[in-house]
Amino acid sequence: MKLFIHLGYPKTASTFLNSNFFSKHNQVNLITENEEAGSFIQSIKYLDEDRYEKEKLKIISFFESKILEKKINIFSDEMFLVPLGYKLYDNKNAIKRLYEIFLSIQKIKDIKFLLMIRKPEELFLSYYTDEYHRIIFHDKNLD
């Protein structure tokens, strides 16, 4: 069975794909569609090695339970490569953890990565514009 790991940067149409294609296509199983997946993704990204090793089997078990035999399984998180809440983390280690988790699931035979990219100057302008509007929405005094 095939698994696609989609790690999109923000502002590269990843949210559009998740909302309008991956989640609606009848041959696709979007395994990150529920809120519970978010807590496991945060563990993969932010836990130190000792705590991660203690949680690893629970994380594997969760994602294994989401895999469907007759569908194309997609792990998709457009914010996986972006630190949230100003927490720093090691992207390379997080991707390695994610890959190892799915390698350990016996029924997955083929893992492919799908990475959305964009010209940096366009990405920064779009991201800045979006964040500016979010901040203004919450604090009208900044305008």
Side-chain angles (χ1 to χ4, degrees):
M1 149 180 359
K2 191 177 284 191
L3 171 76
F4 287 92
I5 298 175
H6 170 241
L7 306 177
Y9 282 101
K11 313 312 290 172
T12 60
S14 298
T15 303
F16 176 83
L17 284 172
N18 285 344
S19 300
N20 297 294
F21 183 70
F22 296 152
S23 64
K24 294 188 172 142
H25 196 290
N26 65 0
Q27 293 177 330
V28 170
N29 174 35
L30 184 59
I31 65 174
T32 50
E33 193 168 25
N34 61 59
E35 288 183 29
E36 191 179 6
S39 66
F40 288 105
I41 292 168
Q42 296 303 307
S43 295
I44 292 166
K45 289 171 67 170
Y46 296 116
L47 288 181
D48 63 50
E49 286 304 315
D50 290 337
R51 289 185 56 212
Y52 173 72
E53 285 302 320
K54 290 176 185 171
E55 296 293 318
K56 188 174 175 179
L57 289 178
K58 191 187 307 180
I59 296 168
I60 291 168
S61 177
F62 171 79
F63 284 114
E64 185 171 29
S65 74
K66 300 300 176 195
I67 300 297
L68 298 179
E69 296 278 345
K70 306 237 184 233
K71 295 202 176 200
I72 298 167
N73 295 279
I74 298 178
F75 172 99
S76 182
D77 184 7
E78 62 267 23
M79 297 302 283
F80 192 85
L81 300 174
V82 178
L84 298 175
Y86 301 102
K87 294 180 188 174
L88 297 178
Y89 75 103
D90 181 350
N91 273 345
K92 186 177 175 181
N93 190 47
I95 293 168
K96 179 180 171 230
R97 285 176 174 181
L98 186 64
Y99 184 66
E100 287 173 350
I101 284 166
F102 290 116
L103 270 182
S104 69
I105 298 173
Q106 296 292 322
K107 53 188 170 181
I108 297 173
K109 303 296 184 208
D110 188 17
I111 300 173
K112 304 280 187 203
F113 279 87
L114 173 62
L115 181 63
M116 306 300 283
I117 58 173
R118 188 172 179 181
K119 289 181 183 177
E121 59 274 8
E122 291 175 7
L123 172 69
F124 292 136
L125 179 62
S126 181
Y127 193 70
Y128 173 81
T129 302
D130 187 55
E131 288 302 310
Y132 175 79
H133 289 291
R134 287 175 200 247
I135 291 169
I136 294 301
F137 178 77
H138 292 290
D139 188 348
K140 306 283 189 229
N141 296 326
L142 292 175
D143 198 15

